[in-house]
Amino acid sequence: MRENLRVIGEKIVENRYDVNKLAMELRMVEDPEVVQRIQNRSFSSMTAEEAEEFTATFVRYLGEAVYGDEKYYFELVTDWSKKAGELAVNEDVPLEESLDGLRFFRKAILQILKQEAEQVHLTIEDVIDICSIIDPLLDRCIYCFSLAYIADHKEVVRKAHANVQQLLMPIVPVSNGAAVLPIIGELDEERSHFILEKALEQCSKLKVTYLIIDLSGIVIIDTMVAHNLFRVVNALKLLGVTTIITGMRAELTQTVVSLGIDFKDITTYSSLQKALEAIGFIQRQLQVK
């Protein structure tokens, strides 16, 4: 029986360049527009010949796995699939196009298997054994391939989230040595970490002496929010930056008192205007000519 498996495996390897062509022919019958788009696509990271060889390598792994060490080829397919997924992401190949392509790959290999099975008189057990080797490798390819797209999606979301955070929490210079950081919404652990990084970076870059953190837009304040604010204040103190808290509305103040949170070591003002006046800003009347 093992000899029959070797014959089939070697036949798959022998036809490794034809499998992709057969898969494309099968796909052309079902979806010619996609095939046309694939054929017109050129990769920036490899030539058409290199792409063909890259695909043929995958088919070779499948064929050799039929009569070789399954664990060894499982690892080879895993590595190949990760590289293929990264390549597809970098070349902006749609995920659904790639995954659907593997369906036709499977059909093409099964067609070759069927043709050879008749010639070498494979038993049902032989066919089941071959499929039980090839199918998990194809499934592994789909899994690893998809991971590359998931990782790329997460990175896109992370960057978008960071951009939103930057827009929601801008550090605005109001003069040499003074800046304002308005905080809007909920101050959770993630946003607190972002504020800490941004405040340290920008205050150092702008040579800020006074940073006014305005809490007018804070929805709720609790012990965690207070703890995170203290972290920011203490870190800025090490840079020589004096932090002033403004915008403590009546309901926020009542919550702070009821929770026993102590702001005595932090300078606070009821409004941004009063804080600016305290550090030397004088309101002047604008003369209109």
Side-chain angles (χ1 to χ4, degrees), residues 3-22 52 55-68 73 77 105-117 119-120 122 126-127 129-135 137-138:
E3 185 59 32
N4 286 343
L5 298 188
R6 175 174 287 276
V7 170
I8 295 299
E10 289 177 346
K11 203 66 181 179
I12 292 174
V13 173
E14 181 184 330
N15 290 277
R16 63 187 180 278
Y17 293 101
D18 297 325
V19 170
N20 189 44
K21 294 177 182 177
L22 179 56
E52 182 182 21
T55 304
T57 298
F58 174 63
V59 180
R60 178 169 64 83
Y61 290 159
L62 296 180
E64 292 177 351
V66 171
Y67 57 87
Y73 285 99
V77 167
F105 239 88
R106 198 187 302 263
K107 283 186 175 182
I109 291 175
L110 287 176
Q111 194 169 114
I112 292 175
L113 176 59
K114 180 181 178 182
Q115 293 170 356
E116 296 304 318
Q119 294 185 21
V120 298
L122 289 183
D126 290 336
V127 174
D129 285 342
I130 293 171
C131 290
S132 68
I133 293 170
I134 292 179
D135 277 349
L137 293 178
L138 290 171

Side-chain angles (χ1 to χ4, degrees), residues 181-227:
L181 170 59
I183 300 178
I184 301 171
E186 182 180 351
L187 186 60
D188 56 19
E189 192 67 30
E190 184 180 355
R191 293 189 74 197
S192 300
H193 183 71
F194 182 83
I195 288 175
L196 182 59
E197 283 188 352
K198 184 177 178 64
L200 292 174
E201 175 189 342
Q202 291 298 309
C203 286
S204 177
K205 179 181 178 180
L206 299 172
K207 295 181 172 54
V208 170
T209 304
Y210 293 99
L211 178 66
I212 303 173
I213 300 180
D214 185 65
L215 304 181
S216 301
I218 283 283
V219 176
I220 188 172
I221 191 166
D222 55 21
T223 52
M224 188 194 74
V225 172
H227 171 71

Side-chain angles (χ1 to χ4, degrees), residues 64-78:
E64 292 177 351
V66 171
Y67 57 87
D69 185 341
E70 291 181 40
K71 291 184 179 179
Y72 173 71
Y73 285 99
F74 183 85
E75 294 300 324
L76 287 181
V77 167
T78 297

Side-chain angles (χ1 to χ4, degrees), residues 100-262:
D100 203 34
L102 283 170
R103 177 166 64 92
F104 294 99
F105 239 88
R106 198 187 302 263
K107 283 186 175 182
I109 291 175
L110 287 176
Q111 194 169 114
I112 292 175
L113 176 59
K114 180 181 178 182
Q115 293 170 356
E116 296 304 318
E118 295 173 352
Q119 294 185 21
V120 298
H121 305 294
L122 289 183
T123 65
I124 294 177
E125 288 79 6
D126 290 336
V127 174
I128 292 175
D129 285 342
I130 293 171
C131 290
S132 68
I133 293 170
I134 292 179
D135 277 349
L137 293 178
L138 290 171
D139 292 339
R140 180 64 175 176
C141 178
I142 293 172
Y143 172 75
C144 294
F145 205 91
S146 300
L147 287 181
Y149 282 86
I150 292 172
D152 180 66
H153 175 70
K154 286 182 177 178
E155 180 62 16
V156 170
V157 171
R158 186 196 65 79
K159 289 180 179 179
H161 183 65
N163 289 336
V164 170
Q165 296 285 25
Q166 184 122 359
L167 291 173
L168 290 176
M169 295 178 289
I171 292 183
V172 185
V174 292
S175 74
N176 289 333
V180 176
L181 170 59
I183 300 178
I184 301 171
E186 182 180 351
L187 186 60
D188 56 19
E189 192 67 30
E190 184 180 355
R191 293 189 74 197
S192 300
H193 183 71
F194 182 83
I195 288 175
L196 182 59
E197 283 188 352
K198 184 177 178 64
L200 292 174
E201 175 189 342
Q202 291 298 309
C203 286
S204 177
K205 179 181 178 180
L206 299 172
K207 295 181 172 54
V208 170
T209 304
Y210 293 99
L211 178 66
I212 303 173
I213 300 180
D214 185 65
L215 304 181
S216 301
I218 283 283
V219 176
I220 188 172
I221 191 166
D222 55 21
T223 52
M224 188 194 74
V225 172
H227 171 71
N228 291 332
L229 283 173
F230 292 148
R231 282 173 54 200
V232 174
V233 170
N234 291 332
L236 289 171
K237 190 181 296 183
L238 296 176
L239 289 180
V241 178
T242 299
T243 305
I244 300 172
I245 302 294
T246 66
M248 291 286 289
R249 305 187 307 276
E251 60 270 27
L252 291 183
T253 303
Q254 290 175 0
T255 303
V256 167
V257 172
S258 64
L259 292 173
I261 300 172
D262 190 357

